Amino acid sequence: MKLLKNDYYENIGIGDIHAKVLAGERLSREDGIRLFDCPEPLAIGSLAHQVRTRMHGDKAFYVINQHINYTNICVNGCVFCAYQREEGQAGGFVLSIDEALAKIDSSLTPREIHIVGGCHPKLGLKYFEELLNAIKVRIPNVVLKCFTAVEIAHFAKIEETTTINVLLRLNKAGLDMLAGGGAEIFNPYIREQICPRKSTAKEWLAIHEEAHQLGMKTNCTMLFGHIESHEDRIDHLVRLRESQDRGGGYTCFIPLPFLTENSQLSIEKPLTGLEELRTIAISRLMLDNISHIKAYWVMLGVKQAQAALKFGADDFDGTVVEEKIGHEAGATSEQGLSRTELEEMITGCGCTPVERDGFFNEI
Ligand code: SF4
């Protein structure tokens, strides 16, 4: 993407923001809102690309990884969720430890295994400790990136213990880092409408900060394109940035576009492709203290994920193998991609593919 000249940014009313980005200065909440109001999304993309290039050059990271979804039975019943089933409902499943282990593709030798699921009313910590232990015995060097803060809060509730205690026990069993889901949008008014039973924003942030205090890395997300406003998106990004200032343990931010299929949430104006890209670009510009922005091809689709690599994102996620949550919501992407396919997608948009592990160490 070509860099645009300063007077161009002046002409579209964001010359001061361009100057701040060039100087490496932090953008304010008001700057973020103005970037959403700016009539030129390509200019925002170009600004984000400058930042991404300053941080990572033309590298685009990928990981040989695998997702395992252990259950879709969940007590939370979020309005937007296409994945959740009630206990006893047709289509509900819970994997036994052996079934979960059998899902691991031994031909792949994954560097990272991502495990998340619904908040099952009866699955206790013993199940998860056994699962993590068994995977670490089988693949000792794999990074286990598991559970959202919402699941951690749920485990604490059913075990009648603290979230710190849950984190300590799971960490001892092999948990390396937390997944980033469950953040949705932090504004409590929006949360009340789309996920009233889920952990609050305060709880979500507190659990991540507890993990950071224990020395664990975590990830963070934002679900956008439903009933939230641009102000809500900026508020979400600012709260993540403040949380990172306090603990520094977030490795990667994953912007998740809301997919409308099979959801009870009716949306007046579904996201356009350009709105997705603008939001990814603004995320890169606002989150000056989080190293990586993911172009999550499962939710974006591979072609849009390629475009995102030129709008501020630097990570293409990975092989994935089997994914249920995004696909139940209408994702039309493949279930998995091979290493060759990932590398071809990355080189196809002019970036250099760099294999990484779960902690973003280059391999
Ligand atoms: S989004 Fe997560 S917590 Fe909410 S109903 Fe779906 S599986 Fe449960």
Side-chain angles (χ1 to χ4, degrees), residues 178-198:
L178 288 186
E184 322 311 0
I185 279 282
F186 289 145
N187 178 340
Y189 174 71
I190 302 292
R191 257 183 128 69
E192 188 55 38
Q193 293 178 74
I194 66 171
C195 52
R197 283 185 240 155
K198 196 171 239 174

Side-chain angles (χ1 to χ4, degrees), residues 77-357:
C78 303
V79 178
F80 63 84
C81 182
Y83 173 71
Q84 179 251 1
R85 300 287 185 279
E86 299 291 333
E87 207 176 7
Q89 188 184 343
F93 72 89
V94 186
L95 297 182
S96 67
I97 303 281
D98 286 343
E99 285 169 334
L101 291 175
K103 294 240 171 224
I104 297 174
D105 183 344
S106 39
S107 67
L108 200 64
T109 324
R111 299 274 183 180
E112 171 193 281
I113 295 187
H114 171 101
I115 302 175
V116 293
C119 293
H120 191 284
K122 296 193 189 99
L123 279 184
L125 271 182
K126 205 161 163 288
Y127 167 90
F128 298 104
E129 287 173 318
E130 216 177 306
L131 178 61
L132 300 185
N133 259 316
I135 296 175
K136 277 283 164 103
V137 167
R138 195 151 142 195
I139 322 172
N141 296 327
V142 76
V143 172
L144 288 180
K145 169 163 71 81
C146 314
F147 315 124
T148 65
V150 173
E151 287 163 275
I152 299 294
H154 175 72
F155 302 157
K157 196 168 165 195
I158 61 174
E159 294 282 350
E160 298 182 350
T161 186
T162 62
T163 48
I164 279 269
N165 197 27
V166 169
L167 289 169
L168 283 168
R169 277 180 62 180
L170 292 174
N171 186 225
K172 196 168 167 212
L175 176 67
D176 293 300
M177 70 193 319
L178 288 186
E184 322 311 0
I185 279 282
F186 289 145
N187 178 340
Y189 174 71
I190 302 292
R191 257 183 128 69
E192 188 55 38
Q193 293 178 74
I194 66 171
C195 52
R197 283 185 240 155
K198 196 171 239 174
S199 312
T200 62
K202 210 171 153 199
E203 285 161 347
W204 189 99
L205 289 164
I207 290 167
H208 279 262
E209 290 180 25
E210 283 175 354
H212 300 164
Q213 280 158 19
L214 296 175
M216 291 170 69
K217 297 289 181 195
T218 74
N219 297 278
C220 51
T221 57
M222 173 174 75
L223 183 71
F224 66 97
H226 40 90
I227 58 169
E228 88 291 356
S229 64
H230 290 161
E231 285 78 6
D232 293 329
R233 290 184 207 169
I234 293 298
D235 172 69
H236 188 95
L237 296 172
V238 169
R239 290 203 215 193
L240 285 175
R241 190 170 73 183
E242 289 169 353
S243 177
Q244 180 75 331
D245 280 343
R246 289 191 290 272
Y250 296 106
T251 304
C252 183
F253 172 72
I254 307 111
L256 300 169
F258 176 65
L259 302 178
T260 52
E261 214 165 285
N262 303 324
S263 170
Q264 294 171 45
L265 201 59
S266 66
I267 301 300
E268 275 174 31
K269 271 172 61 183
L271 281 170
T272 64
L274 267 180
E275 176 74 357
E276 286 180 355
L277 293 173
R278 181 199 290 262
T279 304
I280 292 166
I282 294 174
S283 304
R284 175 64 290 164
L285 293 166
M286 294 299 293
L287 296 174
D288 54 11
N289 54 2
I290 297 182
S291 296
H292 300 283
I293 306 285
K294 190 182 299 268
Y296 185 39
W297 62 262
V298 170
M299 299 289 267
L300 291 169
V302 286
K303 289 184 180 164
Q304 180 77 324
Q306 282 180 301
L309 292 180
K310 297 289 177 179
F311 274 73
D314 61 276
D315 182 60
F316 210 72
D317 202 78
T319 41
V320 175
V321 182
E322 180 189 65
E323 196 281 340
K324 291 182 186 292
I325 298 171
H327 285 89
E328 292 265 343
T332 53
S333 51
E334 302 291 315
Q335 279 289 329
L337 294 175
S338 68
R339 178 198 297 273
T340 309
E341 285 171 322
L342 284 165
E343 292 194 346
E344 280 174 3
M345 306 262 169
I346 291 169
T347 49
C349 53
C351 294
T352 302
V354 176
E355 189 182 346
R356 64 166 176 88
D357 68 10

